[in-house]
């Protein structure tokens, strides 16, 4: 059957599955969609969110759109990307555990055939679909962006991170980083810097079909500011000396500035630092200098990222496409705390191929990360950081702007998840989500369109009965209304869950399971249902399968 899909905004809003119709030609005024994802950007980094890093282009985007203060991703890169491009829970989408590749449903290490990838459905509906940057959703046959609906693509084939200047690998399993363009292996261009090049490539793709009347879905999947911290001195020198007082002071400063920006409650408090963080005063002067340089480099990478986002927006304006483009900017998880240079597994390879000397920091031959100490400042005021199912690992920044957006310059504190973006794109494109695809039944969307919220027609997307859960290598959470189950202890056992009221305890410090036993039991029952619904297990890799250790929390 081949017919135009109709718009069902109310049904799409509640994530229901509809009969499949192919829409060959989008409506004349169909909106373009520009999805920009920063890699490991902290909640408290951008200027409009209360950060001290110079982000004028993102700040202007915030003035033209809405900042979302309670937007939730997954705690790891690949898991978020699977949920983002499916509109479904991570296990349903095939990425129940980042890096784990098995034959067990939920742990395939690639986008599963239980979902329909966003680019595939949009392309079928008449959209051009482009991606440049990080894929991280499987390097095996059939898992490339070219196999998942992207018309044009230039991506890191499999790894979760890369040298920002060359093909020089950063993981023992991949001594040379592999890239593909439109599914075919290609070389990294000499002298190119990742964020600059991905911006060039995406502009090139959008320009390749300028007058055919079709809208585009363009995914700027940047690898910045993901480690290794590398950027030209033009960008980091302006921050020299800014962080000499240390990460504890920066964390305190950001608590104040976040409150001033309206991103957190005036009553918010900082939780205790992670046990891995060494007090700044315990470091030697030499160690402090290196630590400050790490943050200077990180700030420089964010500065460069903002510059390139400005280039994308300027291009859209120059070509007359800006007014008809919905722009979504987000980070893929909380601030990153991995620091692998002296790690038992990664360290030997990195030390053999890279330097962490002060004089080399920021260059192509340098490998440094800003670690848990600076990540605590990046995730302020939340508990912990990337890798954890705490708010610090999952509450990420998001800005949305476009002609559909009312309330420009406002802050929205509604509880949202990354799964809500796919239904939003479908409603915007007037595309229905089918019950079956290519002869196979597909799971219904788990997210809900936020378009009615953007247009001011609704105040909330999810009511107090909505259940959102996630498990990743034993770290687990489940949210229902203002209540949250949380476990950060492995192996995962029900007795280790705590109960928190996120409305009054943003830093997750008051375990209320003994004070509210009935509510605790209610959420435990929801957890049991959720676990069965999505298929949470602990698979053991079979022969020929394995665990790719990249990005695993030490």
């Amino acid at each position: 059957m081949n017919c135009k899909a109709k718009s069902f905004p109310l049904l799409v809003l509640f994530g229901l599955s509809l009969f499949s119709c192919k829409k060959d030609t989008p409506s004349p005024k169909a909106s373009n969609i520009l999805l920009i994802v920063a890699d490991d950007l902290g909640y408290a980094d951008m200027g409009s969110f209360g950060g001290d890093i110079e982000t004028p282009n993102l700040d202007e985007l915030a003035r033209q759109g809405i900042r979302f203060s309670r937007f939730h991703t997954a705690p790891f890169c690949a898991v978020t990307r699977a949920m983002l491009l499916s509109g479904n829970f991570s296990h349903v989408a095939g990425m129940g555990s980042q890096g784990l590749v098995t034959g067990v449903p939920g742990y395939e290490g690639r986008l599963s055939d239980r979902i329909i990838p966003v680019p595939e459905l949009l392309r079928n509906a008449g959209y051009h679909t482009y991606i440049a940057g990080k894929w991280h959703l499987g390097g095996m046959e059939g898992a490339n962006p070219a196999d998942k609906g992207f018309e044009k693509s230039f991506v890191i084939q499999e790894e979760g991170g890369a040298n920002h200047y060359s093909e020089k690998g950063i993981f023992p399993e991949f001594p040379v980083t592999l890239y593909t363009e439109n599914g075919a292996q290609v070389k990294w261009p000499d002298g190119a810097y990742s964020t600059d090049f991905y911006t060039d490539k995406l502009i090139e793709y959008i320009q390749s079909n300028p007058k055919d009347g079709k809208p585009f879905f363009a995914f700027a999947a940047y690898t910045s500011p993901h480690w290794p911290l590398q950027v030209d001195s033009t960008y980091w020198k302006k921050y020299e000396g800014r962080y000499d007082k240390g990460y504890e002071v920066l964390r305190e400063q950001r608590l104040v500035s976040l409150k001033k920006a309206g991103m957190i409650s005036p009553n918010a408090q900082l939780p205790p630092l992670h046990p891995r963080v060494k007090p700044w005063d315990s470091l030697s002067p030499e160690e402090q200098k290196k630590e400050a340089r790490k943050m200077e480099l990180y700030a420089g990478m964010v500065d460069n990222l903002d510059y390139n986002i400005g280039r994308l927006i300027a291009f859209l304006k120059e070509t007359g496409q800006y007014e008809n483009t919905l722009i979504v900017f987000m980070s893929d998880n909380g601030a990153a705390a991995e620091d692998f240079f002296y790690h038992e597994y990664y360290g030997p390879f990195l030390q053999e191929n890279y330097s962490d000397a002060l004089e080399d920091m920021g260059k192509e031959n340098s490998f440094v990360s800003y670690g848990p100490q600076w990540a605590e400042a990046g995730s302020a005021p939340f508990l912990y950081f990337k890798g954890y199912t705490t708010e610090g690992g999952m509450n990420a920044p998001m800005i949305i702007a476009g002609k559909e957006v009312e309330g420009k310059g406002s802050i929205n504190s509604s509880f949202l998840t990354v799964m809500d973006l796919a239904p939003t794109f479908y409603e915007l494109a007037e595309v229905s989500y089918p019950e079956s695809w290519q002869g196979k039944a597909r799971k219904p969307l788990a997210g809900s369109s936020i378009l009615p919220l953007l247009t001011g027609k609704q105040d909330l997307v999810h009511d107090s009965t909505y259940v959102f859960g996630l498990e990743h290598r034993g770290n687990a959470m489940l949210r229902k209304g203002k209540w949250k189950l949380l476990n950060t202890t492995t192996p995962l056992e029900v007795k280790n869950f705590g109960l928190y009221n996120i409305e009054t305890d943003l830093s997750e410090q008051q375990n209320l399971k003994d004070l509210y036993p009935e509510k605790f039991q209610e959420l435990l029952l929801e957890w049991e249902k959720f676990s069965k619904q999505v298929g949470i297990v602990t698979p053991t890799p079979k022969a020929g399968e394995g665990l790719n250790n990249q990005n695993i929390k030490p």
Side-chain angles (χ1 to χ4, degrees):
M1 182 174 180
N2 185 12
C3 61
K4 286 188 177 181
K6 297 179 180 179
S7 175
F8 298 89
L10 191 57
L11 291 178
V12 175
L13 173 63
F14 289 99
L16 298 182
S17 174
L18 306 174
F19 187 75
S20 174
C21 283
K22 181 178 180 181
K23 181 182 176 186
D24 294 314
T25 306
S27 59
K29 295 183 179 180
S31 293
N32 303 313
I33 300 168
L34 173 59
L35 172 63
I36 306 171
V37 177
D39 200 352
D40 290 353
L41 180 74
Y43 180 87
D45 289 327
M46 291 185 294
S48 64
F49 273 64
D52 64 286
I53 301 173
E54 296 177 24
T55 54
N57 294 297
L58 285 168
D59 296 349
E60 179 59 27
L61 191 69
R63 282 188 285 270
Q64 299 301 319
I66 301 174
R67 284 165 286 169
F68 293 88
S69 63
R70 299 297 172 264
F71 169 68
H72 289 72
T73 62
F76 270 111
C77 312
V79 188
T80 290
R81 283 164 169 73
M83 297 166 73
L84 171 63
L85 292 181
S86 69
N88 223 310
F89 295 107
S90 55
H91 290 75
V92 175
M95 196 62 69
S97 182
Q98 179 167 302
L100 184 62
V101 180
T102 77
V104 178
Y107 301 86
E108 293 94 338
R110 56 179 292 170
L111 291 177
S112 75
D113 59 4
R114 295 179 293 279
I115 59 92
I116 309 169
V118 168
E120 193 168 315
L121 195 53
L122 288 181
R123 186 177 183 182
N124 188 74
Y127 271 68
H128 290 299
T129 53
Y130 314 124
I131 181 175
K134 177 171 171 174
W135 177 237
H136 209 190
L137 291 172
M140 64 284 286
E141 185 177 354
N144 192 274
D147 305 308
K148 298 300 179 182
F150 278 106
E151 177 184 343
K152 294 181 184 293
S153 61
F154 189 108
V155 297
I156 303 172
Q157 182 170 323
E158 185 168 358
E159 297 98 307
N163 190 304
H164 293 280
Y165 284 106
S166 72
E167 293 181 348
K168 187 177 181 179
I170 62 172
F171 299 113
E173 306 94 333
F174 304 102
V176 176
T177 301
L178 302 178
Y179 294 89
T180 64
E181 184 162 27
N182 304 329
Q185 190 170 323
V186 292
K187 301 287 288 182
W188 182 256
D190 291 339
Y193 179 71
S194 64
T195 315
D196 300 339
F197 177 73
Y198 293 139
T199 303
D200 292 342
K201 186 58 69 170
L202 206 60
I203 289 174
E204 173 192 320
Y205 289 161
I206 297 172
Q207 283 181 319
S208 65
N209 297 290
K211 297 180 180 179
D212 61 6
K214 293 184 178 181
F216 64 76
F217 170 71
F219 184 4
Y222 291 116
T223 52
S224 182
H226 191 290
W227 41 263
L229 303 180
Q230 299 170 330
V231 70
D232 190 87
S233 61
T234 303
Y235 294 97
W236 71 260
K237 280 283 187 179
K238 67 174 73 173
Y239 300 97
E240 199 165 15
R242 182 175 297 190
Y243 306 108
D244 286 354
K245 292 182 180 180
Y247 31 78
E248 292 153 321
V249 170
L250 179 62
R251 189 171 183 246
E252 293 281 355
Q253 291 173 340
R254 286 189 169 178
L255 178 68
V256 175
S257 60
L258 284 163
K259 291 179 180 180
K260 185 177 179 181
M263 302 310 299
I264 59 175
S265 166
N267 300 319
Q269 297 180 343
L270 291 173
L273 288 165
H274 192 281
R276 286 167 52 199
V277 178
K278 297 178 182 179
W280 180 261
D281 291 343
S282 71
L283 304 182
S284 68
E286 292 76 16
E287 289 173 325
Q288 289 181 349
K289 192 169 185 178
K290 286 184 68 174
E291 283 298 326
R293 178 60 51 82
K294 289 179 183 180
M295 190 60 206
E296 292 164 4
L297 290 169
Y298 177 86
M301 293 180 74
V302 176
D303 195 300
N304 170 267
L305 175 66
D306 181 82
Y307 165 75
N308 277 285
I309 291 171
R311 290 179 58 211
L312 277 176
I313 294 173
F315 163 74
L316 293 177
K317 290 180 176 179
E318 291 165 3
T319 54
Q321 300 179 87
Y322 175 78
E323 296 297 334
N324 195 42
T325 302
L326 183 77
I327 302 176
V328 178
F329 171 83
M330 58 171 280
S331 179
D332 60 351
N333 43 241
E338 302 103 329
D339 197 352
F340 289 158
F341 197 78
Y342 294 99
H343 185 262
E344 179 181 359
Y345 177 76
Y346 301 102
F349 173 82
L350 292 174
Q351 293 168 34
E352 182 179 350
N353 293 278
Y354 287 91
S355 165
D356 72 338
L358 180 65
E359 60 269 19
D360 293 326
M361 289 172 67
K363 301 175 183 177
E364 187 268 347
N365 67 324
S366 170
F367 189 104
V368 290
S369 314
Y370 77 168
Q373 56 275 20
W374 293 110
E376 284 279 26
S379 290
F382 307 122
L383 181 65
Y384 299 157
F385 32 68
K386 176 183 175 182
Y388 288 96
T389 46
T390 58
E391 294 299 288
M394 300 178 65
N395 196 335
M398 181 171 71
I399 301 171
I400 300 182
K403 67 179 181 181
E404 296 82 7
V405 178
E406 298 292 334
K408 294 182 178 4
S410 63
I411 299 171
N412 186 286
S413 59
S414 300
F415 173 74
L416 300 172
T417 86
V418 69
M419 299 187 301
D420 298 327
L421 290 175
T424 304
F425 299 155
Y426 296 146
E427 184 175 9
L428 186 70
E430 299 184 345
V431 174
S432 59
Y433 192 85
E435 295 177 349
S436 64
W437 188 253
Q438 297 177 346
K440 182 177 176 61
R442 306 292 168 131
K443 295 289 186 181
L445 295 168
S448 299
S449 171
I450 64 175
L451 196 59
L453 188 152
L454 297 177
T455 58
K457 295 179 180 178
Q458 292 182 194
D459 296 327
L460 294 173
V461 172
H462 302 296
D463 64 20
S464 61
T465 66
Y466 179 72
V467 173
F468 171 66
L470 191 140
E471 180 274 338
H472 189 270
R473 300 197 187 114
N475 282 276
M477 59 75 62
L478 182 135
R479 179 79 176 261
K480 185 178 183 182
K482 66 183 181 181
W483 297 99
K484 179 179 178 179
L485 280 183
L486 174 66
N487 175 69
T488 58
T489 303
T490 54
L492 174 60
E493 296 180 5
V494 170
K495 67 179 182 180
N496 292 326
F497 272 117
L499 177 70
Y500 301 88
N501 182 338
I502 297 301
E503 281 189 3
T504 60
D505 181 23
L506 200 59
S507 58
E508 298 167 290
Q509 292 301 293
Q510 301 170 24
N511 186 352
L512 302 175
K513 71 176 182 180
D514 293 331
L515 193 59
Y516 297 97
E518 292 183 358
K519 180 60 66 174
F520 183 57
Q521 290 302 318
E522 176 190 334
L523 264 68
L524 284 180
L525 288 175
E526 294 285 9
W527 172 257
E528 184 178 354
K529 288 193 296 184
F530 171 75
S531 299
K532 292 178 180 178
Q533 173 192 342
V534 303
I536 295 175
V537 295
T538 52
T540 301
K542 301 176 183 178
E545 300 174 335
L547 179 63
N548 177 351
N549 288 308
Q550 69 192 47
N551 292 345
I552 292 178
K553 183 171 79 276

